[in-house]
Amino acid sequence: MDHHCPWLNNCVGHGNHRYFWMFCLYMWLGVLYVSTTSLPIVLDDYYGHMQVAWPMPLAFGDWFLKLYTRWQVSSRLAIFLLTVGVLLALGGLTGFHSWIISQATTSIERHTHRIEAKRLARQNKFFKNPYDFGFKLNWKIFLGLIEGRSWRHFLLPSSHSPVGDGHQWDFSAFIDQKTGRGKAHVV
């Protein structure tokens, strides 16, 4: 298990980490789209001229139009600021998971590796993650792009299982860097 995700209401681990990361990435791209397409509207509200889409009666219309225009501008700004906040938060989460995928670790292992690295540093030794195959191969293994699979298995929804069984892991010292295959070791 990597961690429990309240968004998915499920634990993220070996079987669904790829789907969690893809969910975060696609959500971030969607929020980026909404933020960038709403920016011109918000800028036009503050620096452009507001136009009313329907005629109003003169007596009630002036007061209501001013109130409605203020509310409309305020709500558009609030929605834009909310999407920018979600964009930054989700971008940070997606970026963090991209970073730990690049290092072939999980969010829990990241903490244990840091503790182990400090312990070994006191003994003048260096800690190396035994499951780190390098940036490119880590991503290929994570996305399941080995064993003859292509990028369409990543870009389009795919139900292929992740590499391995979740109980046995390959050490990077025993892996052929070209094929991504090697001898499994029980950890």
Side-chain angles (χ1 to χ4, degrees):
M1 179 194 76
D2 187 355
H3 68 282
H4 181 78
C5 176
W7 290 4
L8 301 176
N9 193 25
N10 198 359
C11 290
V12 176
H14 175 71
N16 61 357
H17 192 202
R18 178 180 66 215
Y19 301 114
F20 170 76
W21 181 79
M22 289 172 61
F23 170 76
C24 289
L25 177 67
Y26 292 150
M27 286 297 294
W28 183 81
L29 290 172
V31 173
L32 177 66
Y33 174 77
V34 170
S35 297
T36 55
T37 56
S38 64
L39 179 62
I41 296 169
V42 171
L43 292 176
D44 187 53
D45 283 346
Y46 280 92
Y47 299 111
H49 296 289
M50 293 290 297
Q51 294 185 2
V52 180
W54 68 89
M56 301 283 287
L58 292 177
F60 180 71
D62 290 340
W63 173 81
F64 181 75
L65 183 61
K66 288 179 184 177
L67 179 66
Y68 178 74
T69 303
R70 261 191 237 134
W71 175 82
Q72 189 178 27
V73 169
S74 299
S75 64
R76 285 180 184 168
L77 179 63
I79 290 171
F80 174 74
L81 292 176
L82 179 67
T83 59
V84 169
V86 170
L87 180 75
L88 295 175
L90 197 54
L93 179 68
T94 307
F96 171 73
H97 276 274
S98 298
W99 177 68
I100 65 172
I101 291 165
S102 300
Q103 296 187 348
T105 188
T106 64
S107 55
I108 294 173
E109 287 176 336
R110 181 178 159 267
H111 297 294
T112 58
H113 289 178
R114 187 173 29 191
I115 292 168
E116 185 66 13
K118 286 180 184 178
R119 185 185 70 79
L120 290 174
R122 287 192 295 266
Q123 299 173 4
N124 293 326
K125 295 181 180 176
F126 178 74
F127 174 77
K128 180 182 179 335
N129 181 2
Y131 310 108
D132 187 3
F133 302 110
F135 181 85
K136 187 175 179 179
L137 191 54
N138 286 344
W139 276 98
K140 282 185 171 184
I141 291 170
F142 175 75
L143 297 174
L145 298 178
I146 59 175
E147 301 173 355
R149 295 188 189 112
S150 66
W151 283 100
R152 77 173 175 81
H153 288 93
F154 161 64
L155 296 175
L156 299 175
S158 174
S159 63
H160 68 276
S161 299
V163 176
D165 62 1
H167 297 286
Q168 294 181 342
W169 303 97
D170 293 335
F171 286 135
S172 60
F174 299 103
I175 293 295
D176 181 3
Q177 295 292 323
K178 292 181 182 176
T179 63
R181 296 175 189 230
K183 184 178 177 185
H185 297 275
V186 178
V187 176

